[in-house]
mmCIF file of all heavy atoms in Angstrom:
data_model
loop_
_atom_site.group_PDB
_atom_site.id
_atom_site.type_symbol
_atom_site.label_atom_id
_atom_site.label_comp_id
_atom_site.label_asym_id
_atom_site.label_seq_id
_atom_site.Cartn_x
_atom_site.Cartn_y
_atom_site.Cartn_z
ATOM 1 N N GLN A 27 95.230 251.063 9.123
ATOM 2 C CA GLN A 27 95.611 252.414 8.711
ATOM 3 C C GLN A 27 94.414 253.318 8.962
ATOM 4 O O GLN A 27 93.333 253.122 8.405
ATOM 5 C CB GLN A 27 95.992 252.440 7.229
ATOM 6 C CG GLN A 27 96.390 253.819 6.718
ATOM 7 C CD GLN A 27 96.676 253.798 5.226
ATOM 8 O OE1 GLN A 27 96.873 252.744 4.646
ATOM 9 N NE2 GLN A 27 96.683 254.985 4.624
ATOM 10 N N SER A 28 94.592 254.315 9.826
ATOM 11 C CA SER A 28 93.459 255.120 10.261
ATOM 12 C C SER A 28 92.953 256.080 9.190
ATOM 13 O O SER A 28 91.777 256.378 9.139
ATOM 14 C CB SER A 28 93.831 255.910 11.517
ATOM 15 O OG SER A 28 95.006 256.660 11.291
ATOM 16 N N ALA A 29 93.818 256.595 8.354
ATOM 17 C CA ALA A 29 93.401 257.493 7.278
ATOM 18 C C ALA A 29 94.567 257.675 6.323
ATOM 19 O O ALA A 29 95.720 257.626 6.734
ATOM 20 C CB ALA A 29 92.967 258.843 7.835
ATOM 21 N N PRO A 30 94.289 257.880 5.028
ATOM 22 C CA PRO A 30 95.395 258.053 4.080
ATOM 23 C C PRO A 30 96.176 259.336 4.296
ATOM 24 O O PRO A 30 97.337 259.418 3.945
ATOM 25 C CB PRO A 30 94.679 258.053 2.727
ATOM 26 C CG PRO A 30 93.264 258.393 3.023
ATOM 27 C CD PRO A 30 92.981 257.860 4.378
ATOM 28 N N ASP A 31 95.538 260.349 4.863
ATOM 29 C CA ASP A 31 96.198 261.634 5.071
ATOM 30 C C ASP A 31 96.563 261.775 6.548
ATOM 31 O O ASP A 31 95.679 261.893 7.399
ATOM 32 C CB ASP A 31 95.265 262.774 4.656
ATOM 33 C CG ASP A 31 95.937 264.141 4.740
ATOM 34 O OD1 ASP A 31 97.072 264.206 5.254
ATOM 35 O OD2 ASP A 31 95.331 265.123 4.289
ATOM 36 N N PRO A 32 97.850 261.743 6.909
ATOM 37 C CA PRO A 32 98.243 261.828 8.326
ATOM 38 C C PRO A 32 97.727 263.077 9.024
ATOM 39 O O PRO A 32 97.471 263.056 10.227
ATOM 40 C CB PRO A 32 99.781 261.826 8.265
ATOM 41 C CG PRO A 32 100.113 261.240 6.940
ATOM 42 C CD PRO A 32 99.005 261.634 6.020
ATOM 43 N N LYS A 33 97.546 264.189 8.282
ATOM 44 C CA LYS A 33 97.086 265.417 8.902
ATOM 45 C C LYS A 33 95.659 265.295 9.431
ATOM 46 O O LYS A 33 95.273 265.967 10.381
ATOM 47 C CB LYS A 33 97.154 266.570 7.893
ATOM 48 C CG LYS A 33 98.566 266.942 7.460
ATOM 49 C CD LYS A 33 98.556 268.218 6.648
ATOM 50 C CE LYS A 33 97.767 268.034 5.354
ATOM 51 N NZ LYS A 33 97.821 269.266 4.499
ATOM 52 N N HIS A 34 94.858 264.410 8.802
ATOM 53 C CA HIS A 34 93.466 264.267 9.202
ATOM 54 C C HIS A 34 93.195 262.942 9.915
ATOM 55 O O HIS A 34 92.039 262.624 10.184
ATOM 56 C CB HIS A 34 92.560 264.375 7.974
ATOM 57 C CG HIS A 34 92.683 265.676 7.248
ATOM 58 N ND1 HIS A 34 92.257 266.875 7.782
ATOM 59 C CD2 HIS A 34 93.208 265.978 6.034
ATOM 60 C CE1 HIS A 34 92.494 267.851 6.926
ATOM 61 N NE2 HIS A 34 93.075 267.337 5.865
ATOM 62 N N ALA A 35 94.222 262.187 10.234
ATOM 63 C CA ALA A 35 94.027 260.866 10.822
ATOM 64 C C ALA A 35 93.286 260.953 12.155
ATOM 65 O O ALA A 35 92.317 260.210 12.394
ATOM 66 C CB ALA A 35 95.380 260.171 11.012
ATOM 67 N N SER A 36 93.714 261.841 13.042
ATOM 68 C CA SER A 36 93.077 261.968 14.355
ATOM 69 C C SER A 36 91.622 262.419 14.217
ATOM 70 O O SER A 36 90.738 261.936 14.931
ATOM 71 C CB SER A 36 93.845 262.952 15.237
ATOM 72 O OG SER A 36 95.140 262.466 15.513
ATOM 73 N N GLU A 37 91.379 263.335 13.291
ATOM 74 C CA GLU A 37 90.014 263.818 13.080
ATOM 75 C C GLU A 37 89.108 262.685 12.606
ATOM 76 O O GLU A 37 87.967 262.543 13.063
ATOM 77 C CB GLU A 37 90.026 264.950 12.047
ATOM 78 C CG GLU A 37 88.640 265.445 11.653
ATOM 79 C CD GLU A 37 88.679 266.380 10.454
ATOM 80 O OE1 GLU A 37 89.770 266.853 10.109
ATOM 81 O OE2 GLU A 37 87.608 266.611 9.871
ATOM 82 N N PHE A 38 89.592 261.844 11.684
ATOM 83 C CA PHE A 38 88.806 260.731 11.183
ATOM 84 C C PHE A 38 88.483 259.752 12.316
ATOM 85 O O PHE A 38 87.357 259.273 12.427
ATOM 86 C CB PHE A 38 89.568 260.008 10.065
ATOM 87 C CG PHE A 38 89.408 260.642 8.704
ATOM 88 C CD1 PHE A 38 89.460 262.017 8.557
ATOM 89 C CD2 PHE A 38 89.207 259.862 7.578
ATOM 90 C CE1 PHE A 38 89.318 262.610 7.319
ATOM 91 C CE2 PHE A 38 89.061 260.445 6.325
ATOM 92 C CZ PHE A 38 89.116 261.825 6.195
ATOM 93 N N VAL A 39 89.481 259.449 13.139
ATOM 94 C CA VAL A 39 89.272 258.498 14.231
ATOM 95 C C VAL A 39 88.286 259.054 15.249
ATOM 96 O O VAL A 39 87.409 258.344 15.748
ATOM 97 C CB VAL A 39 90.614 258.152 14.909
ATOM 98 C CG1 VAL A 39 90.388 257.359 16.194
ATOM 99 C CG2 VAL A 39 91.478 257.344 13.953
ATOM 100 N N ASP A 40 88.390 260.355 15.550
ATOM 101 C CA ASP A 40 87.458 260.971 16.497
ATOM 102 C C ASP A 40 86.021 260.863 16.005
ATOM 103 O O ASP A 40 85.103 260.558 16.769
ATOM 104 C CB ASP A 40 87.812 262.448 16.712
ATOM 105 C CG ASP A 40 89.040 262.626 17.592
ATOM 106 O OD1 ASP A 40 89.421 261.641 18.260
ATOM 107 O OD2 ASP A 40 89.619 263.722 17.600
ATOM 108 N N LYS A 41 85.807 261.128 14.719
ATOM 109 C CA LYS A 41 84.456 261.040 14.167
ATOM 110 C C LYS A 41 83.972 259.596 14.130
ATOM 111 O O LYS A 41 82.829 259.297 14.471
ATOM 112 C CB LYS A 41 84.410 261.634 12.756
ATOM 113 C CG LYS A 41 84.287 263.152 12.726
ATOM 114 C CD LYS A 41 84.063 263.628 11.313
ATOM 115 C CE LYS A 41 83.752 265.120 11.291
ATOM 116 N NZ LYS A 41 82.457 265.423 11.930
ATOM 117 N N LEU A 42 84.836 258.707 13.701
ATOM 118 C CA LEU A 42 84.450 257.315 13.524
ATOM 119 C C LEU A 42 84.096 256.652 14.848
ATOM 120 O O LEU A 42 83.138 255.884 14.943
ATOM 121 C CB LEU A 42 85.595 256.557 12.847
ATOM 122 C CG LEU A 42 85.297 255.168 12.292
ATOM 123 C CD1 LEU A 42 84.198 255.217 11.244
ATOM 124 C CD2 LEU A 42 86.555 254.569 11.690
ATOM 125 N N PHE A 43 84.845 256.952 15.895
ATOM 126 C CA PHE A 43 84.627 256.342 17.204
ATOM 127 C C PHE A 43 83.971 257.305 18.190
ATOM 128 O O PHE A 43 83.999 257.077 19.396
ATOM 129 C CB PHE A 43 85.954 255.838 17.782
ATOM 130 C CG PHE A 43 86.492 254.643 17.063
ATOM 131 C CD1 PHE A 43 87.336 254.787 15.973
ATOM 132 C CD2 PHE A 43 86.158 253.357 17.468
ATOM 133 C CE1 PHE A 43 87.834 253.682 15.298
ATOM 134 C CE2 PHE A 43 86.645 252.252 16.802
ATOM 135 C CZ PHE A 43 87.493 252.412 15.716
ATOM 136 N N GLU A 44 83.356 258.372 17.677
ATOM 137 C CA GLU A 44 82.596 259.330 18.482
ATOM 138 C C GLU A 44 83.430 259.906 19.623
ATOM 139 O O GLU A 44 82.931 260.113 20.736
ATOM 140 C CB GLU A 44 81.315 258.680 19.014
ATOM 141 C CG GLU A 44 80.385 258.228 17.900
ATOM 142 C CD GLU A 44 79.110 257.594 18.404
ATOM 143 O OE1 GLU A 44 79.176 256.866 19.412
ATOM 144 O OE2 GLU A 44 78.050 257.840 17.802
ATOM 145 N N GLY A 45 84.721 260.139 19.363
ATOM 146 C CA GLY A 45 85.584 260.781 20.333
ATOM 147 C C GLY A 45 85.980 259.930 21.522
ATOM 148 O O GLY A 45 86.578 260.429 22.470
#
Side-chain angles (χ1 to χ4, degrees):
Q27 179 183 343
S28 54
D31 185 353
K33 294 189 297 184
H34 300 292
S36 296
E37 175 190 346
F38 276 43
V39 170
D40 285 344
K41 278 188 172 293
L42 193 59
F43 289 90
E44 299 180 322

